[in-house]
Amino acid sequence: MKKSGNYSGIDCFRMIAALLIVAIHTSPLLSFNETADFILTRIIGRVAVPFFFMTSGFFLISRYSCNNEKLKTFIKKTAVIYGIAIVIYIPINIYKGYFSMDNLLLNIIKDIIFDGTFYHLWYLPASIIGAALAWYMVRRLGYSKALIISALLYIVGLFGDSYFGIAEQIEVLKQFYSLIFQVSDYTRNGIFFAPIFFVLGGMIADTNVKRSLSINGMAFAGTFALMVVEAMTLHTFNVQRHDSMYIFLPVCMFFLFHLLLYWKERRFALIRMAALIVYIIHPMMIVIVHFLAKFLGDIIVENSLINYLIVCLLSVLFSIVATIFINKFTTSRNSIKKKWCFETERAWIELNLDNLAYNVNALQKVMAEKSTLMAVVKTQAYGHGAFQIATFLNQMGVKAFAVATIDEGIQLRRYGICGEILILGYTNPNRAKELKKYDLMQTLIDFKYAKALNRQKIAVKAHIKIDTGMNRLGVSFDNINEVKMIFSMKYIKVCGIYTHLCCADTLLPEDVEFSENQIDNFYYLIDKLKERGIQIPKVHIQSSYGLLNYPQLVCDYVRVGIALYGVLSKPDENTRVKIDLRPVLSLKARVVLIRSVSKQDTVSYGRRFQAKRDSLIAIVSIGYGDGFPRDLSCQKGGVLIRGQYAPIVGRICMDQLAVDITEIEDVSVGNVATLIGFDTMDIAAPDIAQHFNSISNELLCRMGARLPIIIK
C-alpha cells in the first residue's frame, strides 16, 4: 500500500479520537448514567490511543527502509513535543505538590520514561518506546514474528491491567507484577501496550490485503461488540486494575483502521496538528473550567456533559488558534527551504511507479498461466533505484527477484524484501555463510564451482545454470553426469535450473534457429535427468525478449529485466508479442545559467562548437559524471525545454552540458530540461542509446550513481 495517498478518514478520526480522550478525563455521562459513562469512556474511548499508535505505525513502520532516518525524526519530534508539554504542566505540578514527593529524582525518572509527568502525557514516551521496539522488530524479524512478540508483550500487559484480578490470585504473577509496578505505575505503556498497535499500523500499510467495505464493517461491528461484552463482564466482576487493555481491542482496531482507509479524499493537515494540541492541552482546559466555575456557577463542573462540552470547546478553539500560528511559522520556514532547494537542485531521476505497475500487469498477461514473474533488479534496477523498484514490486505481490551479485541480494534483504532472490553471477564460495544468512539462491556457474561451494559445508540454495550455446556461464547441456552429481551434493539444495537465450532479441531466421536449438538443448538435458530419476526443480529460460519472442514456452519463472522498466533495448524492435510498455524513468536537470554567445564564439572543451549566429546558450546541470553519455556531444543529442527540442552544443562535461535555446522563447534559469522522458514530445531511452551505438540497457544502467530519485 502506498503511503503517499490521501487519507481523509485517518485525519478526521484524529479529532474524534482526541475528543474521546477528553471524554475519558471528564466522564461526560456520569451525571446521567454510570453504566453509559463507563461504556463511553472505558470502552468506546479506549480506541483513541491505539488509533494514534496505529496511525504513527502506518506512516512510520515499514520492513522496506533504506535507513533509520524516519525513526530518528519521529523520536526527535515526539521528544520535543514531550519536552514542551512537560514544561507547560510544571506550574500545575507545583500547585499539586508533585515536587514534594519522596524519592523525587527516582520518581521523576520513572515518570519521564513511562508514566508521564502529568497523567495524560504517558502517551508520548510510550510512542517513543513503542515505535522503536516495533521498528526494530519489523526490520529484523518481519511482520509475522514482530506481531507474535508484540502480542505476547500485550498479553503480559493485559494481566497487569484489565485482567489483574486474575493475575493477583497467583502468587508468582502477583510478585512479578509488583516488580513491574515499581518501575511503571501501569502496564499500559510503551513496552507492553504500544508495540502491537505500531506493528499493526505498519503491517496494514505494507500489505495489499483488500476486503470489501461491508466485510470490514461487519468484522469491526462484531469484534467491537465482543469487546463491549468482555469489558462489561470484567467490570461486573471487578477484575480490572485499570481498563485500557482488552483482548478484543487489537482485533477491533485492525478492522476499524481498515474502515478509515476507505475514505480517501484530500488530506487535512490542520486537523492533524489541531488534534495533537487538543490531546496535550485539554487537562489545562479542565483546570481553567474549574477556575471559571467560581464566577460562572458550579453547573459548568457539576453537570458532567456541560463540563465536557466546555472543555472540548476551549480545547478546540485553542488548538485552532495555535495551529494557525504554527502553520504560518512552518510555512514561512518551509518556503525558505523550498526556495533554497529549488535554487540548488541540479539533476534527478523521476520514476512513474504507476507505469511500473502497468508493465507488470501487461507482462503477466502474456506469460503462461503457471509462470511467475522474476523481476531482474540488478545494477540498481537498471539505473532506476533498487530500493524504490524492489520495494514497490514486493508490495505489489512480486515474490521473485534476480540480482547480479551477493551484495545486491543482501541489500534487498536489508531493504525488507521478502521472497526468493536469485544471484545470477559469481559469488566467492567463502561467502556461503552470507548466502544462508540472507536466504539467497546462488547460481552454480559450472561443476567445479558447485564442488567448491559444497566444500564449505554450509547448506545453501542454488539454481544450476545450463550453457546451451551462449558459452558464458553454466554447465554444458551435454554434461549430464556433472549436472546429476550436483543434485546429489550434500550441502547444495537445487531449487531451480535455467539457461539463457543469447539472441532471443532478434527474429532473423538464423537467430531464431539458434534460439530454438538452445531451447531444444535445454529440454534434452531435462529429459535425460528425468530418465535418471532426478526430481526436476523449477525451470526458467525466458528473459524479456525470451517472453516477447517465445511466449509459447511454459516455465516456472520468466526473468523480466529491461521490459519491466517500459522500454526495449533498441527503438522500433520487431517482436512476436506486442505490448504497450510504458517508460518508468525520466531524467531531468535544471537550467542554471543562460548566456549570450556571439557569432564565431565557441562553447565548452576543445572548442568543438562554433556559433554560426548570435545565440542563446543554456547551461544544464548534468554531465557524464551523472551517467549521461559524452558521446552525445556536439548535436548528437538534445534535451526538451518548455516542450521544445534544444540540441546539445559542444562537448558534454562531467557535471554540466550546454544546449542551444536560441529558437525557444521565455527560457529562464530554473527551468527543467528533460533528457529522457516526455515534455510535449518524447525523448526515448532506446533512441538516445542508438545515437551512441549502444542499447537502452547500458544507457539506463549508467544512471543513478549520484542522482537523487524522485517518485512522481
Side-chain angles (χ1 to χ4, degrees):
M1 184 178 291
K2 292 169 70 174
K3 301 184 191 179
S4 57
N6 296 326
Y7 298 107
S8 306
I10 292 176
D11 286 341
C12 291
F13 200 80
R14 289 175 193 263
M15 185 57 73
I16 295 172
L19 296 179
L20 283 174
I21 289 169
V22 178
I24 291 171
H25 297 143
T26 56
S27 296
L29 301 181
L30 192 59
S31 298
F32 308 95
N33 187 285
E34 185 177 337
T35 301
D37 188 73
F38 179 83
I39 293 172
L40 173 63
T41 61
R42 298 309 188 257
I43 304 176
I44 298 174
R46 290 312 185 195
V47 306
V49 171
F51 162 77
F52 285 126
F53 288 148
M54 287 184 72
T55 299
S56 296
F58 182 81
F59 293 105
L60 171 68
I61 306 296
S62 176
R63 73 167 183 264
Y64 307 111
S65 180
C66 283
N67 52 53
N68 296 338
E69 288 306 313
K70 285 179 68 177
L71 176 64
K72 291 177 182 176
T73 300
F74 175 83
I75 290 175
K76 181 179 178 181
K77 287 183 176 179
T78 307
V80 169
I81 293 169
Y82 188 28
I84 293 171
I86 288 173
V87 172
I88 288 174
Y89 285 98
I90 284 176
I92 298 179
N93 282 330
I94 293 172
Y95 175 76
K96 293 177 65 177
Y98 177 86
F99 295 102
S100 61
M101 72 173 79
D102 295 332
N103 300 314
L104 178 61
L105 181 59
L106 291 176
N107 278 291
I108 288 177
I109 293 172
K110 181 192 74 170
D111 288 343
I112 288 175
I113 296 175
F114 290 110
D115 298 331
T117 57
F118 207 71
Y119 60 84
H120 70 308
L121 295 183
W122 71 270
Y123 163 77
L124 296 168
S127 294
I128 294 171
I129 296 170
L133 286 174
W135 174 280
Y136 285 107
M137 285 193 295
V138 168
R139 288 296 310 281
R140 291 181 178 275
L141 305 174
Y143 280 114
S144 297
K145 291 180 181 178
L147 187 59
I148 291 171
I149 294 171
S150 60
L152 291 173
L153 290 172
Y154 185 82
I155 291 170
V156 173
L158 198 70
F159 282 94
D161 194 272
S162 293
Y163 286 80
F164 182 70
I166 296 173
E168 69 177 348
Q169 301 302 316
I170 303 169
E171 188 62 30
V172 174
L173 292 181
K174 184 178 180 180
Q175 293 298 322
F176 171 73
Y177 284 104
S178 68
L179 291 174
I180 290 178
F181 295 142
Q182 289 179 29
V183 178
S184 173
D185 289 344
Y186 305 98
T187 53
R188 173 219 60 189
N189 56 39
I191 295 177
F192 301 110
F193 184 57
I196 191 171
F197 298 107
F198 274 96
V199 171
L200 285 173
M203 187 170 68
I204 291 170
D206 272 3
T207 55
N208 271 323
V209 178
K210 295 181 179 179
R211 302 180 189 84
S212 68
L213 180 61
S214 59
I215 290 175
N216 270 312
M218 288 188 293
F220 168 68
T223 53
F224 181 75
L226 289 171
M227 188 173 76
V228 171
V229 172
E230 176 190 11
M232 292 303 297
T233 302
L234 294 170
H235 181 60
T236 300
F237 290 97
N238 197 28
V239 176
Q240 297 161 304
R241 178 180 186 271
H242 196 54
D243 43 37
S244 291
M245 304 174 73
Y246 299 112
I247 291 174
F248 286 100
L249 180 58
V251 186
C252 172
M253 291 305 305
F254 180 79
F255 293 111
L256 173 60
F257 206 88
H258 271 99
L259 282 175
L260 296 175
L261 294 179
Y262 281 96
W263 184 8
K264 288 188 178 183
E265 303 297 334
R266 66 185 182 88
R267 300 210 65 185
F268 301 106
L270 291 180
I271 290 181
R272 299 202 297 273
M273 177 63 70
L276 176 62
I277 295 173
V278 168
Y279 181 96
I280 292 173
I281 206 66
H282 76 271
M284 184 71 74
M285 297 305 159
I286 293 174
V287 173
I288 290 174
V289 170
H290 276 77
F291 175 76
L292 292 175
K294 296 178 181 180
F295 306 97
L296 301 178
D298 290 340
I299 190 172
I300 66 173
V301 292
E302 290 179 350
N303 186 302
S304 59
L305 182 59
I306 293 175
N307 180 52
Y308 169 71
L309 293 174
I310 294 175
V311 170
C312 285
L313 178 63
L314 292 177
S315 299
V316 170
L317 288 175
F318 181 90
S319 70
I320 291 172
V321 173
T323 300
I324 292 172
F325 173 79
I326 293 170
N327 190 54
K328 285 184 177 180
F329 176 72
T330 54
T331 300
S332 175
R333 289 186 61 188
N334 287 338
S335 64
I336 294 171
K337 287 175 68 177
K338 287 180 180 179
K339 181 179 179 182
W340 176 249
C341 290
F342 173 81
E343 290 174 349
T344 58
E345 189 178 61
R346 55 179 301 275
W348 64 96
I349 289 168
E350 193 171 278
L351 299 183
N352 187 324
L353 295 181
D354 290 336
N355 283 358
L356 178 61
Y358 172 87
N359 294 337
V360 169
N361 293 326
L363 289 161
Q364 287 175 329
K365 289 177 182 177
V366 177
M367 291 162 44
E369 187 175 343
K370 67 165 284 188
S371 297
T372 297
L373 185 145
M374 179 180 282
V376 183
V377 292
K378 60 183 179 178
T379 319
Q380 283 296 313
Y382 287 62
H384 291 64
F387 171 74
Q388 290 81 0
I389 297 297
T391 54
F392 182 79
L393 292 174
N394 214 194
Q395 287 174 293
M396 276 192 68
V398 175
K399 300 296 184 182
F401 296 86
V403 295
T405 70
I406 184 174
D407 292 308
E408 288 180 338
I410 291 171
Q411 200 64 60
L412 291 190
R413 290 296 189 217
R414 288 176 176 169
Y415 290 155
I417 300 302
C418 61
E420 301 172 327
I421 300 176
L422 173 63
I423 301 168
L424 299 172
Y426 170 81
T427 297
N428 191 315
N430 293 333
R431 303 186 72 179
K433 286 184 179 179
E434 292 173 274
L435 292 173
K436 182 178 181 180
K437 176 181 177 181
Y438 292 101
D439 192 24
L440 304 174
M441 297 186 294
Q442 174 59 44
T443 289
L444 303 177
I445 62 174
D446 72 354
F447 181 64
K448 290 182 179 179
Y449 177 81
K451 289 196 297 183
L453 191 59
N454 189 59
R455 281 196 299 269
Q456 304 304 310
K457 297 184 178 181
I458 297 171
V460 296
K461 298 176 182 178
H463 283 215
I464 304 174
K465 178 75 174 286
I466 303 300
D467 179 16
T468 55
M470 187 170 184
N471 290 315
R472 192 176 61 175
L473 300 180
V475 182
S476 178
F477 74 94
D478 54 10
N479 284 337
I480 299 167
N481 288 332
E482 288 187 352
V483 177
K484 183 175 181 292
M485 290 172 66
I486 291 173
F487 276 94
S488 66
M489 290 179 179
K490 181 178 180 180
Y491 296 101
I492 303 292
K493 181 181 179 181
V494 179
C495 301
I497 185 168
Y498 73 102
T499 192
H500 190 61
L501 305 179
C502 60
C503 53
D505 57 335
T506 82
L507 292 177
L508 295 174
E510 60 271 24
D511 291 330
V512 171
E513 181 181 357
F514 192 90
S515 294
E516 290 176 345
N517 189 52
Q518 281 191 272
I519 295 168
D520 290 341
N521 289 341
F522 181 75
Y523 282 112
Y524 165 80
L525 170 66
I526 297 298
D527 290 339
K528 291 299 181 181
L529 292 174
K530 288 179 180 178
E531 290 174 7
R532 286 162 171 76
I534 300 296
Q535 183 70 36
I536 304 302
K538 293 182 177 180
V539 301
H540 44 114
I541 299 173
Q542 300 148 296
S543 58
S544 293
Y545 283 101
L547 174 65
L548 298 176
N549 284 328
Y550 301 92
Q552 74 279 6
L553 296 177
V554 180
C555 298
D556 294 290
Y557 294 114
V558 177
R559 304 182 308 271
V560 183
I562 191 65
L564 193 65
Y565 307 104
V567 295
L568 296 180
S569 297
K570 298 177 182 178
D572 303 320
E573 285 194 293
N574 184 32
T575 56
R576 286 173 175 158
V577 174
K578 311 293 183 186
I579 301 179
D580 178 29
L581 297 172
R582 298 178 181 178
V584 175
L585 178 146
S586 296
L587 180 64
K588 299 182 179 181
R590 292 273 180 207
V591 172
V592 295
L593 182 67
I594 296 174
R595 64 188 322 132
S596 298
V597 174
S598 301
K599 184 179 179 180
Q600 303 301 322
D601 281 353
T602 60
V603 175
S604 195
Y605 286 117
R607 305 177 65 243
R608 295 293 300 276
F609 169 79
Q610 187 175 47
K612 296 179 180 178
R613 58 180 178 179
D614 292 344
S615 303
L616 273 181
I617 303 298
I619 306 302
V620 180
S621 54
I622 192 170
Y624 64 77
D626 302 292
F628 197 71
R630 189 171 182 268
D631 289 344
L632 295 177
S633 300
C634 302
Q635 298 182 304
K636 288 184 180 179
V639 306
L640 299 175
I641 300 178
R642 298 183 65 82
Q644 298 184 58
Y645 188 79
I648 296 171
V649 294
R651 285 180 174 163
I652 295 173
C653 307
M654 185 180 290
D655 311 307
Q656 53 251 328
L657 55 81
V659 296
D660 188 341
I661 58 169
T662 308
E663 302 294 334
I664 305 176
E665 296 182 356
D666 300 325
V667 178
S668 59
V669 170
N671 283 165
V672 174
T674 301
L675 294 92
I676 301 175
F678 184 82
D679 181 8
T680 305
M681 56 192 300
D682 188 48
I683 297 182
D687 295 322
I688 297 173
Q690 189 176 49
H691 287 320
F692 68 101
N693 299 316
S694 186
I695 57 176
S696 54
N697 309 50
E698 181 193 355
L699 172 65
L700 295 173
C701 287
R702 290 168 175 255
M703 304 296 140
R706 67 179 180 187
L707 295 177
I709 297 174
I710 297 172
I711 306 300
K712 184 176 180 180

